[in-house]
Amino acid sequence: MNDRLWLLALGFAALGAVFTARLFYLQAMRGSYYAALVDQAKLVVEVLPPRRGRIVDRHHVPLADSCATYDLSVVFSDLELSGRARRELPCYRINEQGFDALIADLSGRLRWIGQAENLRAVVTRELLAHPAVAVRTGRRTHAADVGLVATAKATLAPVASALDGEDTAELAESELFSEDPRDALEREILVRWDSATLVVTENEFTAACAQLDRDFGLTQAVDNERTLGALDPFVPPYRLTVPTDTVGATTTLDLRLIAPERRAQAEGALARILGEAEDVVHERLGRALATARDAAGKQAHATSTLYFGPSAQAEAIAGRLPPGGRLMDVPVKDLPGARERIFILQGDPPDGEGLLTQMCRRLAATLGSAGDVMQGLIEKHAQRMRVAACERDYRVHQIVLDPARYERLANGLAAALTALGRPTSRLDLDQALATARRAADKEWTGQTRHDALVLIRDLPHRLAVRMAGANREPPRDLLALYDDAASTLPGLVVQPDVGRTYPFPGSASHLIGLVGRDDDAFRGGLKGQGGLEGSYDTLLRGQPGARLRVRTPDGVRVLRDDPALAGADLVTELDMELQTIAEDSLTHFYELAQELGTATERMDRSRRIGKGRAGFVLMDCHTGALLACATAPGYRIEDYRAKFAELNADPTQPLHDFATEPVMPPGSSFKILTALAGLEYGVLKPGEFITSPGYMTKIGGKPVLRDHAPPGTYDLVHAIMVSSNVYFAKIAERIGGERLATYTDLFQLGGKNALDVANQKAVHIPRPSSIGVDRPAEPHWYPSDTWRLGIGQNSVNSPLQVVTIAAAVANGGHVVRPYLVAPQGDPPQVVDLNIRAEYLDQVRRGMEQVTSPEGTARLLVLAGAAGGIKVAAKTGTSEFGSERTRALGLTEDNAWMIGYAPAEAPTVAFACFVHSGTFGGQACTPIAKRVLEVYFTKYGRGGHAAAAP
């Protein structure tokens, strides 16, 4: 029996020894290997971007189309250290206090004063640009619910009751309320944060620094010795928006917040730089700030009708308000110091240099210091800690990059892209990797360290092919058995993506709009930004797909693969042949005028003023469908972001759409509206004659509002043909300024009249009832204001707005709303003018006479296949600038024209504008002639059909 027990015990002992040995082997010998396998076994969600729908014209010719592109991405988990090397690597944590101390130390050592950029900003930028730096949010150091309250000054005015008067006066004079919102903000910070922070304006801070320059004998000429540069890193700027009245008007204050601890650090840094005692710097800084604030006054907010108080004491204030008193909340957002930003820097391995040394050398090179000194300062002011402690404190995985693998990726990718014809610097790649690292640190679904995060977008196909597969390597357990088996570009992934292409580069760019990458990881693809891309984004973008795959030691296995659904095509009413012809005609209007014989030396001289700015609209006069909406100059959509600063600074203003944005008075083209209003209101009878002496009146013997037409007696038809200013000014006088302005509202000349054109801007049509708001310095409506309104000199409009005037005459008195895409469901809203046919016939006959041999647009005669088609039009010349600027040649008249064709059975209406074109009959005639000839050659006298769905 005893022998059996011994045998059984020996058997259990042997099994235990085998189990222990196996456990030791798995844990100690193979533990890091299996840990790496477990770390790789992750579920990865890949969003599949949808193909964006095309934007096409009425004949399905693409304006914007989708194309395949490729992105270079990185998977950070493929670049990470693992096992003991990861556990032993140190990290350095720099909190706000340590960072302030680092900046103060650097300021004293480098004498970094008055440089072009704030020292704090330079160091912050360099740290954020390196992928070995993680950013964490510290615990909330102060309450975030900082705000102000305000009440009307009239609320606290003394009242009839002596007792109440004493209460309100006491409240108004107490520390609870102040006319200066800065005082209220100081008290709010004191109560909320227990910090005696000084709030000064930007001008006061600058003045105080200038006073310190004088006190310490620093000249303005020595830019690197000015105290402004030394104090600037410690005094964060802040922009506060406060109301000025109870109606909603606001003003913005540029402030500086001087916290006690930051001030002490700033004074210490400045004292070391100047070689002065800190108490001397403290005393002089305090005196300079007090002097600057007293000199500027308390900024009592003279325009404000409000008192301000701290929201922390809102209950106490509300309890002491008189009956009917009301408090307004004034939010104070993103106040500096509310949250703490912490940098986590990856340290060097125990056996050599690493990414910390590399980062310090780069920072030192930027600041003009030594790398070892910089590293010593960082280690002095930072807290050394282990990776595990960092993860425990912030509950976020700490990405620890393998220096060797990272260097191989960054250097190899920069060299490969440069060699393949796409020059890319190492600094550019570091910045891209740092940006991707910020996304990975957030650990959002689809944007973790296991996902492919984009570094470089829109890579050409030939480069994508060369880069594919550069990240492949054998399994980790076999990697050590072979020489040079590691991937050449570890962590790099080539991903197919969806891009955008434009078959007509530079054409209709304002109408099409832009696209950008969607930041939402669950939507993916492109999103519209402005123009048709933005207005119809939901229709165009489609539905993203999703691919779920799991990474296991046995490879990658796809769990689910839902394909993306492409977006729908957007069919517009545009005709790209007409659109491009119109754009080219606007660009070369002077050359066309030379060919037609309408060019003049004055027009040639005025081109330097106009800078080629012009707009043209061709519209279906019955429906409002826009066949062409052209502007000049234009720009390529691809250049908008890459060359925005250059485009924005271009004096020709290519970013503005002169077909849709109101920029100049419409001149005599507005007279058609005045005629319609006169007939409608009954102040003008068909066939009535009005005499023009050549001016409206004389003041001091000087004619006022001269007539460009010869003196004489005109009926409506003849007045339209010769464009008599006096005739239409007298009609406007009969109508009255208020009624005429109200009539313009029917055409929406002051608003955004088109349904889906993005670049419209609302303007204000002046009228007697609002002239005090429009012209506060001269708040009286004069008869001349009515005259000028009637002849198109007292409002600002766009071709897209005034084209509806011509369309209403052409279609029988209906104001249509322009559109690019035919609306679904109910037809667009139409305003019926209810004007009699015989009245409308008078206007039509006058517009037909404009293109007769005696008219102002006598050369607007169509030729070729369009020969014999009569055009009705109205030319316009709007004055620009003052009499003095016109006499000096600094400003020139603008050219306008509106019209429709065929005159007997209209199908299309048009409007044309040429900045500084001198005269509509000369500058606009060749543009309209060319576009209409192409239109009728293509569609015939009967005109176009509806766009194909």
Side-chain angles (χ1 to χ4, degrees):
M1 186 67 179
N2 291 335
D3 292 340
R4 292 181 178 178
L5 290 176
W6 277 108
L7 289 174
L8 187 61
L10 289 174
F12 276 111
L15 289 175
V18 172
F19 177 77
T20 302
R22 180 63 176 171
L23 183 62
F24 176 79
Y25 171 76
L26 293 176
Q27 289 285 349
M29 304 297 292
R30 301 282 287 175
S32 60
Y33 169 72
Y34 287 110
L37 293 181
V38 170
D39 188 61
Q40 291 181 25
K42 299 294 183 181
L43 184 67
V44 177
V45 179
E46 181 183 356
V47 177
L48 305 178
R51 173 191 173 277
R52 190 171 181 83
R54 303 181 303 163
I55 299 177
V56 301
D57 77 348
R58 57 180 29 251
H59 303 295
H60 288 230
V61 176
L63 286 70
D65 203 351
S66 293
C67 62
T69 62
Y70 301 89
D71 300 334
L72 288 183
S73 304
V74 64
V75 178
F76 278 99
S77 59
D78 292 342
L79 296 176
E80 284 197 273
L81 285 172
S82 60
R84 178 179 297 177
R86 182 178 189 274
R87 293 192 299 270
E88 293 180 350
L89 196 74
C91 290
Y92 292 91
R93 175 168 62 187
I94 306 179
N95 57 17
E96 285 284 356
Q97 183 177 0
F99 193 70
D100 289 340
L102 173 64
I103 296 300
D105 210 339
L106 285 172
S107 296
R109 290 174 180 269
L110 302 176
R111 297 181 60 82
W112 186 280
I113 310 179
Q115 301 290 333
E117 192 171 5
N118 184 315
L119 178 59
R120 177 185 295 271
V122 173
V123 176
T124 301
R125 186 193 68 227
E126 291 295 324
L127 291 180
L128 293 177
H130 201 285
V133 179
V135 180
R136 301 286 182 259
T137 300
R139 54 188 177 81
R140 192 178 293 273
T141 56
H142 295 296
D145 52 348
V146 176
L148 303 178
V149 292
T151 190
K153 290 180 179 179
T155 303
L156 304 184
V159 294
S161 168
L163 181 59
D164 290 341
E166 291 177 0
D167 283 343
T168 56
E170 179 184 354
L171 180 57
E173 296 171 1
S174 70
E175 292 183 351
L176 296 179
F177 268 131
S178 170
E179 289 184 316
D180 190 342
R182 296 178 305 157
D183 293 336
L185 182 58
E186 287 179 356
R187 187 168 183 83
E188 172 74 358
I189 295 175
L190 179 63
V191 175
R192 296 282 190 187
W193 296 358
D194 192 26
S195 175
T197 299
L198 181 64
V199 180
V200 298
T201 66
E202 185 68 32
N203 291 336
E204 291 170 350
F205 178 68
T206 304
C209 291
Q211 180 61 46
L212 283 178
D213 287 342
R214 292 189 291 271
D215 289 347
F216 290 113
L218 303 177
T219 63
Q220 294 286 339
V222 186
D223 288 337
N224 64 343
E225 291 184 351
R226 296 187 59 194
T227 54
L228 177 62
L231 298 179
D232 187 55
F234 302 95
V235 186
Y238 181 67
R239 180 162 288 181
L240 176 65
T241 300
V242 294
T244 57
D245 53 40
T246 57
V247 179
T250 61
T251 187
T252 301
L253 303 178
D254 289 320
L255 306 175
R256 292 276 188 162
L257 277 62
I258 308 178
E261 61 276 8
R262 288 274 177 89
R263 176 174 174 175
Q265 291 171 335
E267 291 170 347
L270 186 57
R272 289 194 296 273
I273 293 170
L274 300 176
E276 297 281 355
E278 287 193 27
D279 57 346
V280 173
V281 174
H282 175 78
E283 185 273 332
R284 292 192 180 183
L285 177 59
R287 184 175 59 191
L289 289 170
T291 302
R293 191 157 186 177
D294 290 341
K298 277 289 190 176
Q299 249 201 10
H301 236 40
T303 60
S304 174
T305 61
L306 303 176
Y307 282 123
F308 297 90
S311 67
Q313 297 174 314
E315 292 185 6
I317 295 173
R320 299 173 61 182
L321 286 176
R326 185 175 65 89
L327 287 180
M328 298 169 50
D329 288 326
V330 182
V332 179
K333 300 179 179 179
D334 302 323
L335 198 66
R339 289 190 71 87
E340 183 182 25
R341 179 170 60 181
I342 296 175
F343 294 105
I344 307 293
L345 281 60
Q346 178 177 322
D348 291 339
D351 55 350
E353 297 180 350
L355 296 181
L356 179 63
T357 299
Q358 177 202 92
M359 180 172 47
C360 289
R361 287 173 180 167
R362 181 180 301 177
L363 182 58
T366 301
L367 299 178
S369 178
D372 54 348
V373 173
M374 187 64 60
Q375 187 165 350
L377 290 176
I378 289 178
E379 293 177 353
K380 170 186 174 183
H381 296 291
Q383 176 188 359
R384 182 186 173 105
M385 58 193 310
R386 292 290 184 186
V387 173
C390 183
E391 293 177 333
R392 182 178 62 251
D393 288 350
Y394 298 102
R395 301 179 183 276
V396 176
H397 176 85
Q398 180 70 25
I399 296 177
V400 180
L401 300 174
D402 184 336
R405 296 172 67 82
Y406 171 75
E407 286 293 310
R408 196 158 66 248
L409 170 65
N411 291 333
L413 184 56
L417 288 173
T418 302
L420 293 173
R422 183 158 179 168
T424 306
S425 69
R426 170 65 186 273
L427 293 177
D428 292 334
L429 284 178
D430 282 345
Q431 180 66 67
L433 284 161
T435 302
R437 194 290 174 46
R438 304 287 172 263
D441 280 339
K442 296 176 182 177
E443 295 187 342
W444 292 340
T445 302
Q447 290 182 305
T448 70
R449 68 187 188 279
H450 302 289
D451 297 301
L453 304 176
V454 176
L455 294 178
I456 299 175
R457 291 194 180 277
D458 300 332
L459 203 67
H461 180 267
R462 62 181 182 83
L463 298 188
V465 172
R466 298 288 294 274
M467 294 292 178
N471 63 335
R472 294 177 180 174
E473 61 182 21
R476 290 178 181 266
D477 56 340
L478 299 178
L479 187 61
L481 302 179
Y482 300 92
D483 295 332
D484 299 325
S487 59
T488 56
L489 298 175
L492 188 70
V493 178
V494 179
Q495 290 182 297
D497 203 348
V498 177
R500 206 68 165 155
T501 184
Y502 305 97
F504 297 89
S507 182
S509 299
H510 299 84
L511 302 178
I512 296 172
L514 306 173
V515 291
R517 300 288 171 179
D518 197 332
D519 295 331
D520 189 339
F522 292 101
R523 300 186 69 179
L526 303 172
K527 64 177 179 180
Q529 298 173 343
L532 293 169
E533 297 277 18
S535 300
Y536 296 95
D537 182 59
T538 303
L539 175 71
L540 290 166
R541 74 181 307 161
Q543 296 293 326
R547 180 180 294 125
L548 272 66
R549 46 191 172 84
V550 62
R551 299 173 60 179
T552 70
D554 298 327
V556 177
R557 184 161 56 94
V558 177
L559 300 181
R560 196 181 80 191
D561 193 352
D562 298 331
L565 300 179
D569 288 350
L570 182 68
V571 181
T572 70
E573 296 288 344
L574 291 172
D575 184 314
M576 284 310 293
E577 182 180 4
L578 296 174
Q579 177 74 18
T580 54
I581 286 292
E583 291 169 344
D584 182 73
S585 300
L586 293 175
T587 303
H588 300 96
F589 82 93
Y590 182 73
E591 290 81 358
L592 293 175
Q594 286 181 312
E595 294 177 7
L596 192 61
T598 61
T600 63
E601 292 184 6
R602 180 184 169 193
M603 185 189 298
D604 190 18
R605 291 194 306 269
S606 70
R607 288 194 294 164
R608 61 179 176 80
I609 303 173
K611 297 180 175 62
R613 293 168 287 181
F616 182 88
V617 171
L618 183 69
M619 183 180 75
D620 186 316
C621 62
H622 299 285
T623 65
L626 293 171
L627 302 172
C629 189
T631 181
Y635 67 92
R636 295 169 61 97
I637 295 178
E638 300 92 328
D639 294 339
Y640 183 85
R641 292 186 175 89
K643 301 180 180 180
F644 176 80
E646 179 182 338
L647 292 171
N648 194 42
D650 191 331
T652 65
Q653 300 177 307
L655 296 181
H656 289 274
D657 188 342
F658 296 103
T660 64
E661 297 180 25
V663 291
M664 288 293 169
S668 297
S669 61
F670 190 91
K671 293 174 181 176
I672 301 300
L673 184 145
T674 302
L676 294 174
L679 293 168
E680 180 69 15
Y681 287 129
V683 300
L684 176 65
K685 302 300 181 182
E688 179 181 356
F689 286 89
I690 297 176
T691 300
S692 166
Y695 52 86
M696 276 298 289
T697 188
K698 283 187 176 182
I699 298 179
K702 183 179 180 181
V704 175
L705 202 151
R706 294 178 182 271
D707 201 337
H708 297 297
T713 301
Y714 303 109
D715 63 0
L716 179 58
V717 174
H718 198 194
I720 292 175
M721 183 184 73
V722 298
S723 195
S724 171
N725 285 340
V726 172
Y727 183 95
F728 290 98
K730 288 186 175 182
I731 299 303
E733 188 175 52
R734 295 178 183 181
I735 299 171
E738 193 68 38
R739 284 204 300 177
L740 183 56
T742 301
Y743 198 77
T744 65
D745 294 340
L746 299 177
F747 293 83
Q748 293 189 327
L749 294 193
K752 300 179 179 180
N753 65 322
L755 293 175
D756 55 2
V757 178
N759 298 312
Q760 301 178 84
K761 289 184 180 179
V763 295
H764 182 69
I765 301 296
R767 61 184 67 214
S769 59
S770 62
I771 192 63
V773 177
D774 304 332
R775 199 168 60 198
E778 196 177 3
H780 301 289
W781 184 269
Y782 299 104
S784 61
D785 291 322
T786 303
W787 304 342
R788 292 172 58 245
L789 181 61
I791 64 172
Q793 287 292 155
N794 205 6
S795 64
V796 176
N797 297 110
S798 68
L800 186 64
Q801 292 174 330
V802 298
V803 72
T804 58
I805 301 175
V809 176
N811 63 29
H814 309 291
V815 181
V816 296
R817 298 197 64 182
Y819 59 84
L820 291 168
V821 178
Q824 301 297 316
D826 296 334
Q829 181 182 0
V830 176
V831 176
D832 195 341
L833 297 178
N834 296 314
I835 190 169
R836 295 182 183 181
E838 59 268 26
Y839 291 177
L840 202 60
D841 184 61
Q842 294 282 310
V843 179
R844 283 180 170 175
R845 287 171 52 201
M847 294 182 68
E848 291 175 21
Q849 288 298 312
V850 170
T851 60
S852 68
E854 297 80 21
T856 54
R858 63 182 64 89
L859 294 181
L860 186 48
V861 179
L862 305 187
I869 296 178
K870 177 70 174 176
V871 181
K874 179 68 189 80
T875 59
T877 303
S878 66
E879 294 182 349
F880 172 40
S882 63
E883 290 185 10
R884 178 178 174 274
T885 58
R886 289 195 294 273
L888 294 174
L890 301 177
T891 57
E892 186 56 88
D893 295 341
N894 302 297
W896 284 85
M897 179 183 284
I898 63 173
Y900 57 86
E904 66 281 4
T907 59
V908 290
F910 65 89
C912 183
F913 160 72
V914 178
H915 195 296
S916 304
T918 68
F919 181 59
Q922 295 171 340
C924 297
T925 293
I927 299 172
K929 173 180 168 65
R930 186 184 184 200
V931 176
L932 290 175
E933 286 176 347
V934 173
Y935 171 82
F936 286 111
T937 299
K938 184 173 185 176
Y939 293 108
R941 182 180 292 270
H944 60 279

